[in-house]
Amino acid sequence: MKRYGIIGNPISHSISPAIYNAVFPTIGLVATFEAWKAEPEEVAGFVERLRGPDLGGMMVTVPYKERVMTLVDALDATAKAIGAVNCIVKRDGVLTGYNTDVYGFTRSLAEAGFAARGCRALVLGAGGAAHAVAYGLAREGAMAVHFANRTLRRAEEAAAHLRESAEMPLETGVVSAEPDALAIACAAADIVVNCTPLGMRHGGSEDRSPLDERCLRPGLWVYDTVYTPPETPLLRLARAAGANTVPGLEMLIYQAVAAVQLWTGMEPPVDVMRRAARKALGFDA
Ligand code: NAP
């Protein structure tokens, strides 16, 4: 039986085994999916083991998405552009690093009914998720992507990186994370995407929203990449204000859909993966 897995640290909270072990049998793949806790000095060994016949493919999570870039044989263009790998594919003995977070975000956004072409976007945060989201928006034809971040310097770096990596020219900018500045920036935006951990269950800020009511209005799209709880404080406020909301679990599910497509060439049933993820997170208990 082939083995697949995810490396990261910490990893015990990962719901990836639940998602992949639910979907593999439905596409006739006889394989198991495991969570592997890796210390920094073990990461290269895990990637090397992937060359053996028993392992089929690997997901990579925090804090190793950048580190594995130097350990694979080749990089997909998207992974190279955003500087992070979350999925390793083995084909004819060659290990290629992909980034499926971008697909996870853009596909879930399209499924929700948002057309990114020509939009003005505000991204909250400047870390790994913000880079993937901003690149995805740019690739889908956004007219402008602005970053608001607690540390303004990192927002400036994210904007500069986006200008360099985007395939088409677009307007970029930075905004202070102060409430007044955010209210003005939101008024000019069609969509706001939270890429900070604010509102995350067990994250120490579960009751906090990165935006207040003044930022929210009917017709605005609000996407929260935080996927637990199912309705974060931001999404609750946004829904109450009449905004369109998209929860982060959809990004998580579609990045896993893309991984299965890359590993097997098959189209997995999304509903099976969503059900398994919701069950593992205790949403339907
Ligand atoms: P990261 O690289 O560590 O970046 C975190 C960002 O959040 C930074 O910009 C940081 O600001 C900001 N931040 C952290 N704590 C904050 C606070 N208390 N107040 C205001 N800003 C704060 O993390 P990441 O990998 O981008 O992940 C960010 C979040 O995205 C995660 O919590 C996760 O929920 C979500 N995510 C979801 C998916 C999905 O599939 N749904 C995938 C990836 C990530 P500074 O620069 O000032 O430190």
Side-chain angles (χ1 to χ4, degrees):
M1 187 182 287
K2 277 258 189 277
R3 293 165 69 207
Y4 290 75
I6 180 165
I7 59 166
N9 194 349
I11 199 68
S12 58
H13 65 283
S14 173
I15 62 165
S16 293
I19 297 174
Y20 293 103
N21 286 320
V23 81
F24 282 171
T26 70
I27 54 170
L29 185 65
V30 182
T32 60
F33 190 100
E34 300 157 28
W36 297 316
K37 183 176 175 194
E39 299 302 329
E41 64 278 11
E42 294 172 325
V43 175
F46 271 104
V47 175
E48 262 324 288
R49 239 167 283 156
L50 191 49
R51 297 184 190 279
D54 58 323
L55 294 193
M58 193 185 279
M59 297 303 284
V60 182
T61 189
V62 179
Y64 301 130
K65 290 185 183 184
E66 290 85 22
R67 180 182 291 240
V68 298
M69 290 183 73
T70 58
L71 302 173
V72 292
D73 305 318
L75 289 171
D76 166 70
T78 302
K80 202 185 281 180
I82 63 169
V85 161
N86 77 325
C87 176
I88 305 178
V89 178
K90 181 167 67 170
R91 269 190 221 105
D92 302 326
V94 177
L95 303 184
T96 304
Y98 285 83
N99 189 296
T100 66
D101 284 333
V102 175
Y103 175 88
F105 172 68
T106 55
R107 170 94 189 262
S108 59
L109 197 54
E111 294 284 339
F114 181 78
R117 185 153 299 282
C119 79
R120 299 186 67 85
L122 176 64
V123 175
L124 309 177
H131 276 83
V133 160
Y135 182 79
L137 286 164
R139 203 170 61 185
E140 294 301 307
M143 180 198 291
V145 177
H146 290 218
F147 294 87
N149 193 46
R150 180 177 64 176
T151 311
L152 202 58
R153 177 185 49 78
R154 290 195 74 205
E156 283 160 0
E157 287 166 5
H161 187 258
L162 180 62
R163 278 194 300 279
E164 279 163 29
S165 59
E167 286 131 32
M168 285 188 294
L170 81 166
E171 179 190 314
T172 61
V174 298
V175 181
S176 143
E178 293 306 315
D180 289 348
L182 287 175
I184 293 167
C186 285
D190 303 304
I191 181 168
V192 184
V193 187
N194 176 39
C195 299
T196 77
L198 290 179
M200 187 168 72
R201 184 176 284 160
H202 308 311
S205 60
E206 39 266 76
D207 54 345
R208 286 183 62 194
S209 165
L211 300 176
D212 64 31
E213 291 87 345
R214 288 180 304 152
C215 297
L216 303 164
R217 64 176 194 276
L220 179 69
W221 282 75
V222 179
Y223 192 123
D224 200 340
T225 67
V226 171
Y227 58 83
T228 178
E231 189 175 62
T232 59
L234 170 61
L235 292 182
R236 197 161 47 247
L237 284 177
R239 187 169 52 84
N244 303 301
T245 59
V246 191
L249 187 59
E250 293 301 297
M251 176 172 170
L252 187 79
I253 290 163
Y254 281 108
Q255 60 84 30
V257 167
V260 176
Q261 288 168 342
L262 286 167
W263 288 330
T264 68
M266 283 185 272
E267 190 64 43
V270 179
D271 55 329
V272 169
M273 300 172 81
R274 186 180 290 113
R275 247 194 330 270
R278 291 184 63 87
K279 188 169 174 217
L281 289 165
F283 289 178
D284 300 321

